[in-house]
Structure formats: C-alpha cells, structure tokens
Amino acid sequence: MTEAAAPAPFSLDLGEDLVEIRDWVHGFARDVVRPAAAEWDEREETPWPILEEAARIGLYSLDFFANQSFEPSGVAIPVVYEELFWGDPGIGLALTGTTLAAVAVSANGTQEQLFEWVPQMFGTPDDVRLGAFCSSEPDAGSDVGAIRTRAVYDGATDEWVLNGTKTWATNGGIADVHVVVASVDPELGSRGQASFVVPPRTRGLSQGQKFSKHGIRASHTAEVVLDDVRVPGRCLLGGREKLDERLARAREGRSSGGQAAMKTFEASRPAVGAMAVGCARASFEYARDYAREREQFGRPIGDNQAVAFTLADMATRIDAARLLVWRAAWMARQGRDFAQAEGSMSKLFASETATWVTQNAIRVLGGNGYTRDYPVERWHRDATIFTIFEGASEIQRLIIGRSVTGLPVR
C-alpha cells in the first residue's frame, strides 16, 4: 500500500506576491487616493486624474483585474479592494465600478465575448474607459424578478431591441460599455431574463438623472435610458442557443440554470464585503490613533474603559468580517457552491460592521467626529451604501435563512 499524501499545511498567511501587491496598492491609496478624497467628495465628480494615474501605473487595467481574479487562493481581489476602500470608498468605487460589468460578462458570457468586450471597458493608460452594469430599475431594486426593461429579437436584422430605464447604475451613461439585464420573456419572471452588451456609441442609450448621494460621492451614479437601442445578436451574453435552452427548461418547470443579474451579484458579494472591511478599518485606525493622543482629565481617552472596549469590539468585528470575506472568496475561486449562503454571509456581516464601526468612530471623536474637519464623518456616510447596494441586508438575511433552513422559495 502506498501512503496517502500528507495534507497541505493550513495557513492564513498571504504569499509573498500578495503581500507585495497589497503594499503597492496601500501605497497608492495612502499617497494618491486619501489626500484627494475630501475634494472629490465635495465635487461629486468622477476623479479622472486618479483613474488616469491608476491606469498609468497598471492598477486600473484589464491585466491587473484578470491577474487578481484568477489568483489561486481567491483572496487577491478582497485584499486589493480592502486597501483601495481604506483609502476612500468613493474614489475606490470609481476605480472598481467597471469590474462589476466585467464580472457580468465573465459570469454570463462566452470566452469570445469576454475577450471582445472586457478590454473595451478599461481601455489604455492614454485612453481610460469605463464599464457599467445596469440591473436595478425605478420599480425593481432588490426584486430583480420585477425588471421591466424588454429585449425583443428582430430576426430580419439579427438584432436585439432594448427599451426601458435603469437606475442606480455606477458609471451609468458615461461608460463606454454597458451591460444591461433585460426581460426576454416576461411571463417567466426572473427566469426569463438575459444580459446584453451595449457597445460604445450605440444610438438610443442616454444618461438620465445623475444622483446626488449621501456618500460615495466621487463615484458616478445615474439612470440609463434605453430607447429602441439596437445591438447585434452577438451582444446577447452566452449566445442564443444557451438562452433558448434555458427558457425551454423554465417553461417546463425545470431549473433554468440561474438568473442573469443574480449570477453577477453572487460573484461580487465577497468583493463588496472587502470594500466594507476597508472602510471600517480606516475608521477604526483613525479612532484608535485619536484615542491614544486625545487627553481628557489628564490622560488619553483610550485609558477609559468605555473607549477601550469600543475599540476592542471594532477590531474584533473587522477581523471577523475579513475572515468571512476571505472564506467566501476562497470558496468561489475553488468552485465550491455557497451551500450555506457564505457569499451573502460575508457581505451582510462586513457591511453592517462598516456602519457600526464608522458610527462608533464618530462617537470616539465626539464633537470633532461630527465635523467635516475629520474624515470619520465622510466614512460613515460612505459606509451606509454597503448595507444597500448589490443586495440589501434584508435580502442577504432572506437568502441565508432559506439556505440554512432548506425551505423552498415561496
């Protein structure tokens, strides 16, 4: 008998390559992103100079996105996102918003579509471009089954005709490539939906209302209006044959193999959790350093048990959130199913950790924390979005509850 191979040693240490990438991204966040954060928050504009600098050094690029996405452990993207959002969540989302559209193509499209469209979402250092994922609608946010944007096939021209209005789209209207979720068979609800690429400069696509937001104000968020938008048949992600097979299964009452928008959200939830961890960590570190230096009654306020206990809870929750994010990212990279909704767990806990930590950072700073002279006020405004976008906390709890009970969706 041959002896069984010894199991690989378990370790949570990052490899040398990941440590080098983490430190490189942290340096960019520290030296370029954070000093500009307050300005772009006030301006409520896309920080093009920072995007261009990120592209120049290779941080905003298809190669960097692809290399980190296929890193063997799966934790590269969470590590990178944590550092960027430690720098500033608004600018961080401006730098990473394109990746959601890229993930939509990766999750739903063919290899040929991946190679054709994703490079056009990033461009080059001399020609920076953007991608936008368009799923939510004015009457269909968390309820993706209520999407009313229609896609109708025109066999005479081999084109799909899209009509509808999308909302809350990161980079919506200013992106070069839009990925749009639309209904091709309304009677099937969410099972009758598909994703389409809208190429650059396609007629009929326009920006609607641009939103003035509570937080993440350096990230562009707007409506996208589709008025008889015609796209070639090859812009249907996954292809016509795959769509027809999926619709046939759905009409027969069999599993349709997943819904277009949800596939994208499932793949992105650990990344969103990492964003929240970065924001929470920034607030904790600032509050911790403030508690060391700020004196009241002749001693640092960190000597007070109430402050020390608050900081202890902050640090504990952040570490727990990071571990949940890393586990989900590792599982996704290994091709393991989220049998207990581990992706939703990571997003839920990390996002609620961010709101709790940033709120308590303001309390540690007292009156100073409530002013715009200190960044914790901005981080608290930014953190709120993590419990809302890409699946609100209530939706995550619903998904987790169904997973752990095993009860059917009603």
Side-chain angles (χ1 to χ4, degrees):
M1 287 180 61
T2 58
E3 293 186 7
F10 175 79
S11 175
L12 287 173
D13 288 334
L14 298 177
E16 290 184 7
D17 289 346
L18 270 181
V19 169
E20 184 177 348
I21 290 169
R22 180 198 64 192
D23 293 347
W24 175 60
V25 176
H26 180 80
F28 181 83
R30 180 192 63 227
D31 300 335
V32 179
V33 172
R34 186 167 283 191
E39 174 190 352
W40 291 100
D41 176 73
E42 289 290 337
R43 292 175 64 168
E44 297 189 63
E45 297 174 358
T46 299
W48 286 106
I50 296 177
L51 281 166
E52 290 164 358
E53 175 63 15
R56 187 186 66 79
I57 66 172
L59 179 56
Y60 184 84
S61 70
L62 172 59
D63 286 346
F64 184 77
F65 167 70
N67 289 339
Q68 305 323 306
S69 297
F70 294 103
E71 183 272 331
S73 74
V75 302
I77 289 292
V79 166
V80 168
Y81 280 19
E82 179 179 334
E83 298 305 327
L84 286 176
F85 281 71
W86 172 91
D88 179 66
I91 295 176
L93 193 57
L95 288 163
T96 60
T98 290
T99 61
L100 186 58
V103 167
V105 175
S106 177
N108 298 288
T110 65
Q111 284 289 329
E112 291 77 13
Q113 291 170 326
L114 186 68
F115 293 140
E116 178 177 7
W117 298 115
V118 175
Q120 296 187 53
M121 296 180 186
F122 290 92
T124 67
D126 296 324
D127 182 20
V128 174
R129 299 187 181 186
L130 300 173
F133 179 64
C134 307
S135 175
S136 294
E137 298 185 359
D139 296 319
S142 296
D143 183 8
V144 294
I147 285 175
R148 298 177 65 181
T149 295
R150 285 296 313 276
V152 178
Y153 183 66
D154 183 349
T157 60
D158 186 28
E159 292 177 319
W160 288 90
V161 184
L162 279 64
N163 283 282
T165 299
K166 295 297 182 177
T167 194
W168 309 120
T170 299
N171 298 332
I174 65 170
D176 298 273
V177 178
H178 291 74
V179 178
V180 177
V181 179
S183 174
V184 296
D185 188 337
E187 293 183 1
L188 294 176
S190 64
R191 295 178 298 167
Q193 295 170 3
S195 293
F196 299 84
V197 171
V198 181
R201 297 175 296 279
T202 297
R203 293 180 60 182
L205 184 147
S206 62
Q207 178 184 308
Q209 176 187 2
K210 178 187 175 184
F211 296 103
S212 183
K213 304 188 298 296
H214 178 64
I216 56 167
R217 288 149 56 105
S219 173
H220 176 97
T221 310
E223 290 181 331
V224 175
V225 179
L226 302 132
D227 183 10
D228 283 338
V229 172
R230 286 181 168 268
V231 300
R234 62 187 174 83
C235 291
L236 166 64
L237 291 181
R240 185 61 187 269
E241 182 178 347
K242 184 177 179 181
L243 173 64
D244 288 343
E245 291 175 356
R246 182 160 58 83
L247 294 177
R249 289 196 301 270
R251 293 183 185 114
E252 293 171 2
R254 295 183 291 149
S255 172
S256 61
Q259 190 274 335
M262 294 312 299
K263 282 188 175 181
T264 303
F265 293 140
E266 287 169 7
S268 66
R269 278 175 184 143
V272 176
M275 298 174 185
V277 170
C279 180
R281 192 183 110 213
S283 297
F284 161 71
E285 290 176 358
Y286 200 96
R288 177 201 62 199
D289 294 345
Y290 185 91
R292 289 170 174 167
E293 299 168 5
R294 174 71 167 174
E295 291 192 359
Q296 291 286 286
F297 305 106
R299 60 176 183 167
I301 63 171
D303 273 349
N304 295 312
Q305 190 178 75
V307 174
F309 278 15
T310 298
L311 293 170
D313 286 343
M314 287 180 177
T316 301
R317 293 192 187 195
I318 290 169
D319 272 8
R322 182 183 296 110
L323 288 172
L324 281 172
V325 166
W326 283 15
R327 179 185 68 166
W330 176 84
M331 290 179 66
R333 185 68 188 94
Q334 310 313 312
R336 301 196 179 190
D337 291 335
F338 290 154
Q340 297 292 306
E342 288 87 352
S344 290
M345 286 183 182
S346 70
K347 199 267 186 185
L348 170 67
F349 190 79
S351 62
E352 299 210 338
T353 291
T355 58
W356 186 88
V357 168
T358 54
Q359 180 182 36
N360 280 278
I362 291 176
R363 294 178 66 187
V364 170
L365 270 67
N368 286 334
Y370 200 65
T371 71
R372 294 198 175 188
D373 294 331
Y374 292 80
V376 292
E377 172 271 340
R378 184 176 70 252
W379 291 328
H380 181 51
R381 287 189 286 109
D382 291 339
T384 306
I385 192 60
F386 299 123
T387 63
I388 300 172
F389 74 173
E390 297 195 43
S393 288
E394 291 75 15
I395 295 298
Q396 306 306 326
R397 287 189 169 92
L398 183 63
I399 293 169
I400 297 166
R402 287 172 174 169
S403 295
V404 300
T405 62
L407 295 175
V409 177
R410 298 184 186 277

